[in-house]
Amino acid sequence: MKKIKIIYNPSSGRQAVEKKLDRLIKLLIDDGYTVQKFETKRKNDAMNETIKACSEDWDNIIVVGGDGTVNEVAKGIVLGGRKIPVGILSSGTVNDFANYMEIPKNVLEFYDMIKRGEAVEVDLGKIDDSYFVNVAAGGLLTSVGFSVLPEVKMVLGRMAYYLEGLRELVVKDLKPLKVKIESEELTVESEILLFVVSNTSSIGGFKKLAPKADVVDGYLDVFAIKKADVQELANIFFNIFNGDHINHSKVIYFKSRKIKITSEEEISIDIDGEYGGKLPATFEILSNAFSVLV
């Protein structure tokens, strides 16, 4: 008899998600699984509950929430010291990591996935004392994720991000940021509009923002847009849909295991859609750190 811990973020998604979760729990219990549901109420609840689960005899963790909740569970796995296979039932406004891993959204398919128990060990990104399953970023539009109110996310879904992004573009001018990017592969000082350090190719709903990224290759992908005019930016963003933007003269793109980014300016970092402090920061890859049911 398998034991499954469900960690659920009630502020992610809508009522339909709760019905989906209730249906999944019934399927599991009817099949003889022991199931315990834990509802998060504040920041770090998911992380702390995962750390606790690592010291107990749970066979799987199912996390129900967006990328931010998955991030907390991943951090809890690392700190808890036991790679319990994790199933991700998407319910947040943005679920880039689950989408990238092609994890089923249908309840019956998700249930079948749990029963099969097939898992893949994937890489995690690390920034000082924080971790990311998907992306860390700074600059233009990267504050959108943590500036949109949870209740607005619930009502408007992904549209909330687009509306906030448009507002930020109107309110703020496209002022470039002076940064220094250092790695074994490349060191560059430049005025940039945006930098992204990614573990997967899917970021903010764009499936090919970091087109060469792979969660099992032992590398982080670094993408940055240099100071550019409106026409150049339009060309870059148009080409993001097919992944050709990385060949643009105003784009920096490379892979590395460790990257240090510094700036004399105050630049906030977005980590999996949540506020993650400010530069300077060192980004590293942790190979095979997180086990995901697929």
Side-chain angles (χ1 to χ4, degrees):
M1 184 173 64
K2 282 199 168 186
K3 297 180 65 178
I4 292 181
K5 166 84 71 172
I6 295 176
I7 297 176
Y8 168 61
N9 180 355
S11 68
S12 291
R14 303 174 178 86
Q15 287 183 342
V17 177
E18 293 186 18
K19 291 180 181 177
K20 184 190 289 189
L21 181 56
D22 289 343
R23 188 181 174 202
L24 175 64
I25 291 171
K26 185 179 186 308
L27 286 168
L28 291 168
I29 291 174
D30 287 348
D31 203 26
Y33 286 81
T34 297
V35 179
Q36 185 183 88
K37 179 180 171 183
F38 175 85
E39 186 176 296
T40 65
K41 292 183 171 60
R42 59 187 67 83
K43 186 176 175 61
N44 291 328
D45 273 1
M47 179 191 72
N48 291 327
E49 187 64 17
T50 302
I51 292 171
K52 180 170 173 266
C54 286
S55 66
E56 299 169 343
D57 60 347
W58 299 100
D59 297 292
N60 295 124
I61 291 173
I62 295 175
V63 53
V64 185
D67 285 331
T69 311
V70 177
N71 175 293
E72 283 198 27
V73 170
K75 185 174 182 179
I77 290 288
V78 174
L79 297 178
R82 184 161 78 93
K83 281 189 279 189
I84 303 173
V86 175
I88 303 168
L89 187 61
S90 297
S91 75
T93 312
V94 177
N95 292 95
D96 281 317
F97 185 73
N99 291 337
Y100 171 83
M101 297 298 296
E102 298 182 346
I103 294 171
K105 294 181 174 67
N106 175 276
V107 173
L108 282 175
E109 291 178 5
F110 190 90
Y111 165 68
D112 287 340
M113 180 189 76
I114 298 298
K115 285 192 71 175
R116 286 196 307 271
E118 294 178 13
V120 175
E121 290 193 356
V122 302
D123 304 335
L124 288 178
K126 184 176 186 292
I127 312 173
D128 302 324
D129 294 327
S130 298
Y131 300 84
F132 59 96
V133 293
N134 206 57
V135 64
L140 177 67
L141 301 184
T142 54
S143 65
V144 169
F146 50 82
S147 61
V148 178
L149 295 173
E151 55 268 31
V152 177
K153 291 182 187 179
M154 289 180 68
V155 174
L156 296 179
R158 186 179 292 275
M159 184 58 68
Y161 286 85
Y162 295 148
L163 292 173
E164 179 63 21
L166 288 171
R167 187 195 71 81
E168 195 171 282
L169 281 173
V170 171
V171 172
K172 299 180 181 179
D173 58 3
L174 299 180
K175 183 184 176 184
L177 309 165
K178 293 180 180 178
V179 302
K180 184 176 183 180
I181 302 172
E182 299 175 84
S183 72
E184 185 179 327
E185 292 78 7
L186 177 71
T187 294
V188 59
E189 287 189 69
S190 182
E191 288 187 310
I192 67 165
L193 297 171
L194 165 76
F195 73 82
V196 171
V197 181
S198 182
N199 190 34
T200 76
S201 61
S202 181
I203 303 160
F206 295 102
K207 294 183 179 179
K208 296 183 178 180
L209 193 62
K212 297 182 180 181
D214 190 335
V215 292
V216 295
D217 67 356
Y219 285 88
L220 292 168
D221 284 47
V222 183
F223 161 66
I225 301 176
K226 297 180 186 177
K227 181 181 178 181
D229 59 34
V230 174
Q231 187 174 349
E232 289 170 323
L233 278 174
N235 184 264
I236 291 168
F237 282 113
F238 178 78
N239 282 296
I240 281 175
F241 293 99
N242 57 26
D244 288 342
H245 61 290
I246 63 173
N247 299 314
H248 197 283
S249 61
K250 294 293 185 179
V251 169
I252 299 167
Y253 189 87
F254 67 98
K255 285 178 174 283
S256 183
R257 289 188 172 90
K258 186 175 182 178
I259 309 102
K260 184 178 180 181
I261 302 180
T262 56
S263 178
E264 293 180 1
E265 301 181 54
E266 190 172 277
I267 302 174
S268 297
I269 305 169
D270 173 296
I271 300 177
D272 286 335
E274 306 291 336
Y275 175 71
K278 300 180 187 296
L279 292 182
T282 299
F283 307 78
E284 301 176 71
I285 194 75
L286 298 180
S287 297
N288 305 324
F290 188 49
S291 183
V292 183
L293 291 166
V294 293

